[in-house]
Amino acid sequence: MNWFDDWALPLGVFLPAVGMVLLFFIPKANETAHKVTALLTTVATFAVGVVILCRFNYTSGRLQFTVNEQWIPVIHSRFHVAVDGISLPLLVLSMFVCILAVIYSWDHFPEPHNPRAFLALILLLEVGMNGTFAAQDLILFFVFFEVVLLPMFFMIGVWGGPNRQYASIKFFLFTLFGSALMLVAFLALYFLSKHPTFDMVRLAQMHGAGIAYGTQLLVFGGLFLGFAIKVPIWPFHTWLPDAHTEAPTVGSVLLAAIMLKLGTYGFVRIAIPFLPRAAQTWAPWIGLLAVIGIIYGSLCCLAQRDMKRLIAFSSVAHMGFVMLGIATLTNFGINAAIFGMVAHGLITGMLFFVAGSIQERYNTREMSRLGGLLTQAPKLGWILGFCAMASLGLPGLAGFWGEFPAILSAYAPAGNISEVTFRVYMVVAAVGTVLAAGYLLWMFQKVAFGTPKDEFKDAHIHDVHGPEWIAWTPLLLLIVIFGIYPNFLFKITDPAVTRETREVAVVLHIANQPKTEAATR
Amino acid sequence: MNPVVDYHALAPEIVLTTTIVVVLIADLLFPERARWQTSRIASIGVLGALIPVLTLASGVFTDNHFVPRSMFGGAYVVDEYALVLKGFFLIATYIVLLLSIDEIKEGDYYQGEFWYLLLSSVLGMLIMCSARDLISIFVALELISIPTFVLAGWKKHNSKSNEAAIKYYLIGVISSAVMLYGMSLIYGLSGTTMLRGIFAYLEHAPDLGLILVACFLTLVGFAFKISAVPFHFWAPDTYEGAPTPVTAFLSVASKAGGFVALLTIVFVGLYPQPDGWQPVLWFLAAASMTVGNLTALRQTNIVRMLAYSSIAQGGFILAPLAVAGSGSNNGRDSFQAVVIYILIYGAMNLGAFAVVIAVARRTRSGAISSYSGLGVTSPALAVIMTMFLFSLAGVPPLAGWFAKFVMFRSLLDAGGAWAVTLAIIAAVNSVIAFFYYGAVARRMWFDAPAEGATAPRIPAALNLSIGLCVVAVVVVGIYPQVFAHLGDVAARSITG
């Protein structure tokens, strides 16, 4: 199976592109063939992911399945892809959710229909997402990071809700602006490093050697803005509610489940290991924005009337927990953050699926008009309840293991980051979990309890149907499995995270040394 | 003493000149109905001229010690740089020919002269690539310009076309005069028209004053040719008034001709005195991208929008040149960036114009509103246009991203406050540019088509030209090394 190791990642990244090209060769009328092709492509891609999972060495913590080929020698950029415990869960999650997206769309493509284009966009999106998680070269990373923009732009703009034009442009411009700054930061890293290179592995080993501390802070600022807009961290989040609200269901799911993780992944993979000293200086500020995001997101949720918008704001809050974990720069915090990313992907993805299905049945997402879901479509109602519980961090479900350790990790941040500050953040974040319980239960109560409103009293509401069951069951199962046995995931992430944080800790220790000496003297 | 003539090195020019003569004679001899055959002769001639370019270039790829062929005392040089750009001009011209064939055949135009004038201008471009002294550069530039004055006024009965030609002609002549004055000053100071000689003189120039004036006037002359702000106002009117294939030619080939002249003069001649040209170019670059973009936002006609967009793109091409003096390796990164940008810009802009021509076949209009719902009526055309627009906006994985990338790279490589400021201006402008490129894409995909809109019927030649551009934009976007290598080879031959 040696050949497999050499081809696994290129296959995992580019199979969807092959499927996309195939779609264009199938006549437009033959919709079933389009759906089958897209499904087979995503399943085949996921199969590659499963084999990677089987052949992955879980103890080493190193990058595996490395492919490092010449790409653009003139600018010293290489086609370098590899995965380790940090990227593997996200890569497989992306492959997995794309299958569900295709299945869910099976016979409800939003207006204006056109399955071929819609499926092609899903596949192109998958190329970008998988590629970002696999890339180990900054330029390659940048290209994949940007590839996701266009499909999402069109998905929102063509298949979205009434306010889709505004939402799609806003989404595109925010991210474009962030990535322009990110690219400038990448170039600065290249030109300023001791050994100019775009190779992420080598840049991570150098820890910003040769770059003056003040410049490091600026470069980190560029990276921060690029990733923060994608996450999104408060106050860069304003594109998210609009994009989520207007996007078609599948678009919202992919956006929440995977695309937001590109930003947090960027912090873990690039910003922190490349420039640990700058990260240490920035950490209290990132932590501050994170907790503001938690509280602000939660409060906004309580003020929403639109169900999808509520879930979108809850994403802002949840990503706040993830960012808080990352900002501690500790092993514990980053492990929690990755768990949080996967858990949020599963749970919020599920919530958007349910919200989409409710809208399809009631033609509204206005919570004041909904009610009595449990009497009209009990299964759908209970699934919504289950997801709300998972999302508020009920122990025993996946959401808990993203939030709880992240809060705990804030007790003792790494390096000489102020403990007092982070302990304050910890308390605030803990308050945030209470608010989360508040708005999620409130939403559940509004939508599911009581009796249906008069306008829907006699409406015939379908309960969960075939494609929905197929798309949702795996997600629901995973939420339970990861909740009961979180080690499934921690086992994968921990060795790689330990490696990274140990190196960061060493750099910080050396960097902080003279200061402590001066203090004792 | 007879000058040494290297016939192999001159073969592309000779083939093209022969074609020009044959086209002219054929136009006289052929009966009216068979006149369209002249386009065929022109195409064959252009492809024929490409053959010697390739045979000459084969030396570049087989052994690394490619010996530049120099003639007329070094005034005419065929090196890697010249070959790369000659190849570019010939291929771009071939695409323009493909765009024009049906347009010219169906319109009430004079066929033979069209091809004759077009090819004459291309001959000027080929000479420009090799010209290494002020006089041959000037002659080449005039040879490029004068036929295009006539081409711009090709729609004889259309007042807009007439206005376009007159405007373009007057401004072209004035700019030539200004440039010539600057060149004469340079000659007066250095005592030579050879760029190499000027380079040697400037390395030990005693006093800067007059040199600055000379550089300034020369560059201003070129600024007209490449329609850099504030010398751009002829471009939108001319672009709109001229037949669209001619506009495509003006905005890509003829503009690139101006850039090639600038590259040669700056790198081979003026390089030792960056103070003479860096500030002027910096200003032109910053002004072009900003004004071009902001004005493009307001356009309602697609050709005018593309005209302003090409002014803005010209600013992006100029940016690396504006900091070339402080780059590492004698500004090699900057040189590379300009060449790569020109190549990629050519592919995507020609492609965009090709689609404009295709759409206008049905709508007979250049209004951006006529693109509404193109995604429904002719999805393939809309997908392709979207690719060109987003490539122009610089979104990966389409070729435009790499052009922008090398530009930013050369700016940050040069470093320093001026270069970084220009990089920031360029970054902001890239975001602004998305608005108007995206606006057309939105029309095509988000809006409903007009009543009774149908797909245009696209002739084979137009399809072929669109296809060539799409392939270039996609392949270079995914594997930029194709063009990056050409840029690198060209840069090596000039910057050493």
Side-chain angles (χ1 to χ4, degrees):
Chain A
M1 286 283 271
N2 236 345
W3 63 269
F4 179 81
D5 293 2
D6 294 336
W7 284 98
L9 285 177
L11 274 178
V13 173
F14 292 115
L15 264 184
V18 176
M20 187 184 80
V21 173
L22 284 181
L23 283 185
F24 285 103
F25 286 104
I26 301 171
K28 189 163 182 161
N30 197 346
E31 286 185 7
T32 319
H34 289 130
K35 293 174 193 166
V36 171
T37 313
L39 183 65
L40 288 181
T41 314
T42 47
V43 169
T45 315
F46 182 62
V48 173
V50 171
V51 182
I52 292 179
L53 274 179
C54 296
R55 296 180 53 80
F56 191 78
N57 179 343
Y58 290 97
T59 49
S60 81
R62 289 173 187 282
L63 286 167
Q64 298 167 40
F65 300 94
T66 302
V67 177
N68 194 346
E69 296 293 329
Q70 192 154 312
W71 183 39
I72 323 176
V74 171
I75 58 164
H76 310 291
S77 175
R78 298 177 66 82
F79 181 81
H80 185 184
V81 287
V83 283
D84 64 2
I86 298 174
S87 41
L88 184 66
L90 296 167
L91 177 68
V92 177
L93 177 72
S94 153
M95 293 167 163
F96 179 64
V97 173
C98 286
I99 303 182
L100 308 185
V102 173
I103 294 176
Y104 182 84
S105 336
W106 204 261
D107 30 47
H108 25 86
F109 283 97
E111 279 305 307
H113 207 59
N114 200 351
R116 174 162 69 169
F118 195 77
L119 293 169
L121 290 182
I122 294 182
L123 293 177
L124 184 58
L125 208 55
E126 189 177 0
V127 175
M129 297 186 300
N130 293 356
T132 312
F133 292 132
Q136 293 296 335
D137 179 285
L138 283 182
I139 301 305
L140 195 64
F141 178 90
F142 171 76
V143 170
F144 282 127
F145 196 81
E146 298 292 283
V147 165
V148 298
L149 283 187
L150 280 188
M152 193 40 88
F153 172 71
F154 283 110
M155 212 179 256
I156 299 173
V158 179
W159 286 271
N163 206 4
R164 56 183 189 269
Q165 296 218 5
Y166 170 74
S168 60
I169 285 279
K170 193 170 175 184
F171 158 78
F172 200 97
L173 286 177
F174 264 70
T175 11
L176 198 66
F177 183 72
S179 44
L181 285 169
M182 188 179 81
L183 181 63
V184 172
F186 283 179
L187 283 165
L189 275 172
Y190 175 84
F191 284 116
L192 299 173
S193 290
K194 206 161 60 183
H195 310 290
T197 177
F198 283 123
D199 193 274
M200 285 159 63
V201 180
R202 282 171 58 203
L203 280 166
Q205 284 162 354
M206 280 193 273
H207 302 298
I211 309 179
Y213 174 65
T215 320
Q216 283 200 18
L217 287 182
L218 283 177
V219 175
F220 192 94
L223 296 173
F224 171 80
L225 272 178
F227 297 140
I229 290 174
K230 199 85 166 189
V231 171
I233 300 177
W234 183 91
F236 310 106
H237 67 281
T238 58
W239 63 267
L240 182 81
D242 290 318
H244 265 316
T245 315
E246 300 304 327
T249 307
V250 169
S252 295
V253 171
L254 289 172
L255 195 60
I258 304 147
M259 273 181 66
L260 303 188
K261 277 74 198 178
L262 300 182
T264 41
Y265 173 75
F267 277 104
V268 178
R269 169 69 71 199
I270 293 175
I272 291 170
F274 286 18
L275 302 166
R277 289 169 63 202
Q280 181 184 244
T281 315
W282 272 76
W285 302 104
I286 299 177
L288 177 67
L289 295 181
V291 289
I292 293 179
I294 294 173
I295 299 298
Y296 177 87
S298 309
L299 291 178
C300 283
C301 283
L302 288 170
Q304 297 311 315
R305 276 179 283 165
D306 182 320
M307 200 178 156
K308 247 177 146 181
R309 225 176 151 80
L310 185 145
I311 304 171
F313 272 110
S314 85
S315 282
V316 176
H318 282 120
M319 293 321 267
F321 286 106
V322 172
M323 285 314 299
L324 183 66
I326 293 175
T328 63
L329 308 187
T330 56
N331 181 5
F332 196 39
I334 293 179
N335 266 317
I338 299 172
F339 201 104
M341 294 183 215
V342 175
H344 175 263
L346 298 172
I347 297 167
T348 309
M350 221 16 251
L351 277 171
F352 274 119
F353 268 138
V354 175
S357 291
I358 289 177
Q359 180 187 15
E360 206 181 72
R361 288 166 172 79
Y362 290 93
N363 276 321
T364 180
R365 299 185 306 256
E366 199 81 11
M367 283 183 288
S368 54
R369 289 174 61 194
L370 294 171
L373 186 63
L374 280 174
T375 59
Q376 285 188 312
K379 289 178 190 133
L380 190 61
W382 282 119
I383 290 175
L384 177 66
F386 175 83
C387 298
M389 296 301 158
S391 184
L392 64 82
L394 193 74
L397 298 176
F400 176 74
W401 298 107
E403 277 177 24
F404 180 64
I407 297 173
L408 269 190
S409 71
Y411 186 75
N416 64 356
I417 303 172
S418 158
E419 283 189 357
V420 179
T421 318
F422 266 79
R423 282 180 195 170
V424 173
Y425 294 165
M426 185 175 96
V427 175
V428 179
V431 174
T433 58
V434 180
L435 288 175
Y439 63 75
L440 283 162
L441 291 177
W442 176 67
M443 174 194 78
F444 182 49
Q445 179 219 343
K446 280 271 205 186
V447 175
F449 290 174
T451 49
K453 297 281 179 319
D454 291 340
E455 55 177 322
F456 298 118
K457 203 162 244 165
D458 306 319
H460 177 67
I461 304 296
H462 258 292
D463 213 336
V464 185
H465 56 63
E468 287 176 340
W469 276 124
I470 302 173
W472 295 352
T473 315
L475 282 176
L476 298 173
L477 283 179
L478 280 177
I479 293 174
V480 175
I481 292 172
F482 283 139
I484 296 172
Y485 193 65
N487 235 12
F488 271 133
L489 200 53
F490 284 134
K491 209 170 60 184
I492 307 178
T493 58
D494 190 51
V497 176
T498 309
R499 252 176 82 91
E500 181 180 312
T501 46
R502 202 192 296 133
E503 284 176 29
V504 168
V506 170
V507 176
L508 292 184
H509 184 69
I510 297 167
N512 299 336
Q513 207 64 43
K515 275 185 210 154
T516 41
E517 266 172 34
T520 48
R521 240 181 268 149
Chain B
M1 191 185 83
N2 285 327
V4 183
V5 175
D6 180 343
Y7 285 102
H8 189 193
L10 284 177
E13 286 86 343
I14 295 171
V15 172
L16 200 62
T17 315
T18 317
T19 314
I20 292 171
V21 175
V22 172
V23 166
L24 197 60
I25 295 173
D27 186 50
L28 285 176
L29 300 182
F30 284 3
E32 186 71 40
R33 271 181 304 116
R35 290 265 165 88
W36 60 273
Q37 296 278 12
T38 46
S39 69
R40 200 166 274 182
I41 301 173
S43 310
I44 293 169
V46 168
L47 291 181
L50 202 55
I51 294 170
V53 171
L54 292 177
T55 58
L56 283 165
S58 68
V60 181
F61 296 102
T62 47
D63 62 302
N64 286 324
H65 305 287
F66 176 80
V67 186
R69 294 155 181 262
S70 174
M71 278 162 282
F72 312 120
Y76 203 86
V77 178
V78 178
D79 51 10
E80 291 99 321
Y81 163 54
L83 287 175
V84 165
L85 283 155
K86 280 180 189 182
F88 166 74
F89 281 126
L90 288 171
I91 292 170
T93 308
Y94 183 66
I95 292 173
V96 171
L97 288 175
L98 291 177
L99 296 183
S100 323
I101 289 172
D102 294 275
E103 198 76 0
I104 298 297
K105 194 162 67 181
E106 288 163 19
D108 181 20
Y109 302 128
Y110 308 91
Q111 294 208 26
E113 291 91 333
F114 183 88
W115 312 112
Y116 164 74
L117 290 166
L118 194 73
L119 293 187
S120 305
S121 182
V122 176
L123 181 62
M125 291 166 196
L126 294 193
I127 295 172
M128 179 64 83
C129 299
S130 289
R132 295 290 184 277
D133 84 332
L134 292 179
I135 293 176
S136 33
I137 286 180
F138 181 75
V139 169
L141 205 59
E142 291 306 288
L143 189 50
I144 294 175
S145 305
I146 293 170
T148 51
F149 298 152
V150 186
L151 286 176
W154 202 249
K155 294 192 223 162
K156 200 165 131 186
H157 306 294
N158 180 329
S159 60
K160 266 200 172 159
S161 190
N162 283 315
E163 184 193 333
I166 287 289
K167 251 190 186 159
Y168 186 32
Y169 166 70
L170 287 176
I171 289 177
V173 173
I174 292 167
S175 67
S176 298
V178 173
M179 180 168 42
L180 210 49
Y181 183 48
M183 285 178 171
S184 71
L185 286 178
I186 294 180
Y187 171 68
L189 287 165
S190 62
T192 174
T193 58
M194 261 338 153
L195 290 179
R196 261 190 329 199
I198 295 167
F199 188 97
Y201 165 77
L202 288 178
E203 272 181 315
H204 315 285
D207 120 82
L208 265 176
L210 206 50
I211 295 175
L212 296 187
V213 177
C215 288
F216 178 76
L217 292 174
T218 315
L219 294 180
V220 164
F222 285 117
F224 277 108
K225 303 281 178 201
I226 57 172
S227 62
V229 175
F231 310 106
H232 65 289
F233 40 82
W234 60 270
D237 294 336
T238 308
Y239 284 11
E240 193 191 352
T244 321
V246 174
T247 309
F249 182 73
L250 287 178
S251 77
V252 172
S254 133
K255 192 168 185 142
F259 278 111
V260 170
L262 259 183
L263 265 181
T264 316
I265 285 213
V266 163
F267 274 89
V268 187
L270 306 179
Y271 196 77
Q273 284 297 350
D275 291 343
W277 44 273
Q278 284 204 146
V280 185
L281 292 179
W282 193 97
F283 175 76
L284 291 176
S288 301
M289 46 180 117
T290 313
V291 175
N293 267 332
L294 292 179
T295 326
L297 284 176
R298 291 205 305 267
Q299 301 308 316
T300 51
N301 179 301
I302 188 124
V303 177
R304 278 186 92 84
M305 186 211 86
L306 284 175
Y308 281 107
S309 116
S310 83
I311 291 170
Q313 299 277 350
F316 290 134
I317 304 180
L318 271 179
L321 262 183
V323 298
S326 14
S328 51
N329 300 327
N330 298 326
R332 182 145 128 204
D333 276 4
S334 303
F335 195 98
Q336 248 178 38
V338 175
V339 174
I340 293 172
Y341 209 121
I342 290 175
L343 300 182
I344 292 176
Y345 167 76
M348 53 196 188
N349 219 41
L350 279 178
F353 272 110
V355 178
V356 169
I357 292 171
V359 173
R361 289 179 69 81
R362 168 175 62 82
T363 57
R364 296 279 151 224
S365 139
I368 293 180
S369 54
S370 69
Y371 283 73
S372 292
L374 195 68
V376 178
T377 51
S378 33
L381 211 52
V383 167
I384 288 166
M385 185 62 168
T386 313
M387 285 163 69
F388 290 134
L389 289 170
F390 282 106
S391 178
L392 283 163
V395 179
L398 302 159
W401 80 269
F402 190 68
K404 287 253 165 60
F405 174 82
V406 286
M407 176 199 66
F408 281 120
R409 188 176 73 121
S410 74
L411 287 176
L412 291 177
D413 170 50
W418 288 102
V420 173
T421 314
L422 195 55
I424 292 170
I425 296 175
V428 172
N429 271 301
S430 321
V431 178
I432 297 177
F434 170 75
F435 271 103
Y436 56 85
Y437 294 128
V440 180
R442 264 158 57 203
R443 286 259 182 218
M444 292 192 298
W445 293 105
F446 301 179
D447 289 355
E451 285 289 311
T454 49
R457 205 190 55 78
I458 307 168
L462 198 53
N463 264 333
L464 177 60
S465 63
I466 295 176
L468 287 174
C469 294
V470 169
V471 169
V473 165
V474 172
V475 168
V476 174
I478 293 171
Y479 189 66
Q481 180 62 14
V482 191
F483 279 7
H485 180 67
L486 294 176
D488 190 43
V489 167
R492 251 197 326 231
S493 68
I494 295 294
T495 58

